[in-house]
């Protein structure tokens, strides 16, 4: 089935940039309105008009600069903070009584936006640097520190450092998430390859070993070599296979990028599970199905059929040459259940755990792993002397469930 890649970008940082963009525009409007309604107290209003004109042009022209970490360069941050500091220091020039009246500066709270850009871009250390410069500029503009000035300076300083620290924590969390996704992707691929190898190469090697030992002579030597290769391959499958990382981190954006393989929508037609299970039926394998199409999404149908095949392979290998098996397919509105039962000797208690410890992970990977990957479950019941039963359950996709809404038990 054709597949395509979809890139999912996850970043808690991006909403902060969007919020900063809105903040800069709103505080620019606020600064202009504040000056317009209190312009009569300015001895040199033209200074204020000139600065606010520059502030408006600068804010609107640099909106793309605060749209993300890539565009927000160090050069822009320096220029942006310079505009804010210039506005603060020009306030006494526009208003001769600014140092005696504890009023707003020309840029007003727009200045905090310049400091917050430092916090989001560089973390709490950059925020501390920018807010300290703003504090010094405010103290110079006031001439002598007042309670309100110290309060405002401390508020900007604490808030910016706190936001910078939160950004750093978020970035560290994203790096941890990226690593976890990378490990998950590699593990799933290793298990998928292990299932494929188990269902083909390992079974052939095991058969060669058994037949060679039984024939003796030169065939016994070939069997011994096949057994050694089987053990080596099982060891490799259990702990060494992985594929190139599907997860990477975009350092410039501070975002986690995950590449996800997904089915091509054009190849998503439901598959009748019966057509995949029919070739499994034979003289020693009986198949009982509902008599109506059992429709499942292609990936689920294929994995479920492969799990049934793995269960039948185990019957052929471990239940004896005279053992018989039966496949029962149940089509329910919310799930599909396939049961594979045999009349063999059953599995001795503790044998599965021992097999997994030896690297023989047929049940764990070929059956349980396949069902887990499609959201299903696999339950194995075995009583010594009474055979083995494997029950495979696959939940229906919402679309398929609606199509079967009228299907009763």
């Amino acid at each position: 089935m054709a597949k395509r890649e979809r890139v999912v970008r996850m970043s808690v940082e991006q909403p902060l940039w969007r919020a900063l963009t809105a903040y800069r525009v709103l505080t620019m409007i606020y600064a202009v309105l504040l000056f317009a309604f209190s312009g009569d107290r300015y001895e040199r209003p033209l200074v204020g008009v000139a600065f606010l004109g520059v502030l408006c042009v600068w804010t609107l022209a640099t909106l793309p600069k605060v749209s993300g970490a890539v565009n927000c360069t160090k050069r822009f941050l320096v220029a942006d903070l310079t505009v804010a500091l210039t506005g603060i220091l020009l306030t006494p020039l526009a208003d001769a009584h600014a140092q005696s009246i504890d009023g707003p500066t020309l840029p007003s709270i727009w200045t905090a936006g310049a400091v917050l850009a430092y916090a989001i871009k560089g973390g709490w250390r950059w925020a501390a640097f920018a807010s300290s410069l703003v504090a010094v500029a405010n103290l110079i503009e006031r001439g002598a520190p007042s309670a309100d000035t110290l309060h405002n300076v401390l508020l900007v300083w604490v808030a910016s450092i706190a936001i910078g620290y939160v950004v750093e924590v978020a970035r560290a969390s994203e790096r941890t998430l990226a690593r976890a996704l990378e490990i998950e992707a590699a593990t799933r691929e290793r298990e998928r390859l292990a299932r494929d190898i188990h269902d083909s190469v390992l079974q052939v090697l095991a058969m060669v070993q058994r037949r060679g030992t039984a024939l003796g002579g030169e065939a016994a030597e070939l069997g011994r070599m096949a057994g050694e290769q089987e053990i080596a391959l099982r060891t490799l499958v259990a702990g060494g296979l992985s594929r190139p990382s599907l997860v990477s981190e975009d350092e410039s954006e501070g975002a986690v990028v995950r590449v996800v393989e997904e089915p091509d929508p054009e190849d998503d037609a439901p598959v009748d599970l019966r057509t995949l299970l029919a070739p499994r039926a034979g003289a020693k394998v009986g198949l009982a199905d509902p008599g109506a199409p059992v429709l499942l999404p292609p990936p689920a149908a294929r994995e479920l059929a492969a799990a049934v095949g793995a269960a039948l392979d185990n019957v052929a290998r471990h239940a004896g040459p005279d053992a018989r098996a039966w496949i029962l397919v149940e089509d329910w509105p919310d799930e599909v259940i396939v049961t594979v039962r045999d009349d063999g000797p059953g599995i001795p208690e503790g044998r599965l755990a021992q097999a997994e410890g030896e690297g023989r992970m047929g049940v764990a990977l070929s059956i349980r792993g396949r069902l887990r990957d499609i959201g299903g479950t696999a339950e194995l019941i075995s009583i010594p002397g009474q055979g083995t039963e494997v029950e495979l359950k696959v939940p229906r996709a919402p679309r398929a469930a609606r199509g079967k809404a009228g299907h009763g038990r």
Side-chain angles (χ1 to χ4, degrees):
M1 179 180 63
K3 291 186 177 181
R4 58 186 175 89
E5 289 186 344
R6 175 169 56 91
V7 177
V8 180
R9 182 178 296 274
M10 299 166 287
S11 175
V12 297
E13 187 178 324
Q14 196 58 36
L16 295 176
W17 289 110
R18 289 196 291 266
L20 178 59
T21 301
Y23 177 87
R24 287 167 65 88
V25 173
L26 293 176
T27 53
M28 175 199 72
I29 296 174
Y30 176 77
V32 172
L33 293 177
L34 190 64
F35 179 82
F37 286 108
S38 59
D40 54 346
R41 72 178 179 86
Y42 287 90
E43 286 74 13
R44 301 180 184 86
L46 291 179
V47 175
V49 171
F51 172 77
L52 291 175
V54 172
L55 181 68
C56 291
V57 172
W58 173 259
T59 301
L60 298 177
T62 58
L63 287 181
K65 291 291 186 179
V66 290
S67 61
V70 174
N71 297 329
C72 187
T73 61
K74 294 181 180 179
R75 181 177 299 179
F76 163 74
L77 289 175
V78 171
D80 196 52
L81 186 61
T82 300
V83 172
L85 298 177
T86 301
I88 295 173
L89 297 176
L90 282 177
T91 302
L93 182 62
D95 181 9
H97 302 287
Q99 294 183 339
S100 59
I101 300 175
D102 203 4
T105 60
L106 285 175
S108 185
I109 56 176
W110 184 93
T111 304
V115 177
L116 293 177
Y118 271 82
I120 300 174
K121 175 69 175 181
W124 71 269
R125 293 175 180 83
W126 288 29
F129 169 76
S131 58
S132 297
L133 292 181
V134 170
V136 171
N138 275 285
L139 293 176
I140 293 175
E141 183 267 334
R142 293 302 177 193
S146 64
D148 288 340
T149 301
L150 293 177
H151 172 76
N152 294 334
V153 166
L154 184 61
L155 180 63
V156 173
W157 196 73
V158 172
S160 61
I161 291 179
I163 292 176
Y165 179 75
V166 169
V167 170
E168 289 189 358
V169 171
R171 286 173 179 162
S173 299
E174 286 178 340
R175 286 192 292 270
T176 302
L177 175 61
R179 179 58 181 163
L181 293 176
E182 181 179 353
I183 294 174
E184 178 190 10
T187 300
R188 286 187 177 276
E189 180 64 7
R190 181 174 66 244
E191 291 182 356
R192 184 188 68 80
L193 293 175
R195 288 195 298 266
D196 293 342
I197 293 173
H198 174 272
D199 293 344
S200 56
V201 180
L202 290 178
Q203 291 188 8
V204 172
L205 290 174
M207 182 186 68
V208 172
Q209 181 188 21
R210 291 196 301 271
R211 294 295 300 275
T213 302
L215 292 174
E218 294 183 358
E221 177 64 16
L222 292 176
R224 183 189 64 79
M225 295 174 62
E228 292 176 354
Q229 294 303 312
E230 180 192 6
I231 294 174
L233 186 55
R234 287 187 185 278
T235 302
L236 178 64
V237 167
L241 288 176
S242 63
R243 68 174 174 182
S245 173
L246 293 183
V247 182
S248 62
E249 183 183 357
D250 186 342
E251 296 290 348
S252 60
E253 290 274 1
V256 176
V257 179
R258 184 178 185 182
V259 181
V260 182
E261 289 185 350
E262 58 181 15
D264 189 333
E266 297 180 358
D267 193 20
D268 197 28
V271 174
D272 186 357
L273 179 63
R274 301 180 306 162
T275 63
L276 300 180
L277 296 181
R280 300 286 184 179
K284 294 184 178 182
V285 178
L287 173 62
D289 57 56
V294 182
L295 300 180
L296 284 173
R302 282 192 291 268
E303 290 298 312
L304 182 54
V308 171
L312 293 176
D313 290 340
N314 285 334
V315 174
R317 293 171 56 190
H318 304 296
D322 298 326
R324 291 181 53 84
W326 294 268
I327 305 172
L328 173 62
V329 181
E330 300 176 82
D331 189 10
W332 301 100
D334 56 346
E335 65 182 355
V336 173
I337 303 176
V338 179
T339 304
V340 180
R341 183 171 61 85
D342 66 69
D343 60 357
I347 302 175
E349 185 177 355
R351 181 67 185 93
L352 289 179
Q354 178 185 354
E356 291 186 14
E358 296 172 352
R360 302 176 181 271
M361 297 176 288
V363 174
L365 292 179
S366 290
I367 299 179
R368 293 197 180 108
R370 292 183 187 277
L371 271 293
R372 181 200 62 205
D373 287 350
I374 57 176
T377 59
E379 182 178 358
L380 188 146
I381 302 174
S382 182
I383 300 176
Q386 300 184 24
T388 301
E389 180 176 301
V390 180
E391 186 179 70
L392 312 173
K393 295 183 180 181
V394 177
R396 285 195 174 280
R399 181 176 62 183
R402 289 195 297 268
K404 292 288 182 180
H407 184 80
R409 294 194 172 195

